[in-house]
Amino acid sequence: MDHARDLPAWAAIAVSVFLVIGSLLTLIGAVGFARLPTFYERIHAPTLGTSWGTGGIVMASMIFFTVLGTRPVVHEILVGIFVTVTTPVTLMLLARAALHRDRAEGNPQVPAEAPVEPPADEGQPAPGE
């Protein structure tokens, strides 16, 4: 990290602020994951923590390497986009799999599936019309 000495004070402060914010958000997500009692409650905290925490860390990295390289470094946005998109989708799929498993086992604490309404016929008016 010998190059960090060449970083101007304003950039060092901005990088530090984004790193601290990103790290704190990630820590909050990890603490929420550890402290919440059920699987379904635990899913929410890491999703927000990793998404927003990664955003802060990616922003700090972009500022750091843009200032040191004297050219815009924006390819790290891809990392942020991939984490922001894949983390919630993955955790949603895990939640749906757990919900399916709990319903199949007959867990009384899990709500039943919503009834499926048949589609309205084209010639018949829909209810309430």
Side-chain angles (χ1 to χ4, degrees):
M1 290 301 291
D2 292 332
H3 301 296
R5 283 182 269 174
D6 299 333
L7 200 63
W10 66 268
I13 291 170
V15 168
S16 300
V17 167
F18 278 113
L19 278 177
V20 168
I21 289 172
S23 299
L24 285 175
L25 289 170
T26 303
L27 179 64
I28 290 169
V31 168
F33 181 73
R35 295 203 42 138
L36 292 171
T38 68
F39 174 78
Y40 299 105
E41 292 172 342
R42 286 182 182 164
I43 286 179
H44 190 65
T47 302
L48 293 175
T50 56
S51 296
W52 289 98
T54 300
I57 294 169
V58 164
M59 192 66 173
S61 180
M62 285 175 53
I63 293 169
F64 183 83
F65 289 109
T66 296
V67 171
L68 284 183
T70 63
R71 63 179 174 81
V73 177
V74 293
H75 62 274
E76 294 172 1
I77 290 176
L78 291 175
V79 172
I81 290 171
F82 290 142
V83 169
T84 302
V85 170
T86 59
T87 301
V89 170
T90 302
L91 290 176
M92 182 189 68
L93 292 173
L94 284 171
R96 293 184 87 183
L99 185 62
H100 177 72
R101 181 198 63 211
D102 287 346
R103 284 180 178 158
E105 291 176 352
N107 187 343
Q109 295 179 342
V110 176
E113 287 188 57
V116 178
E117 295 182 22
D121 291 339
E122 291 180 18
Q124 301 291 328
E129 289 185 5

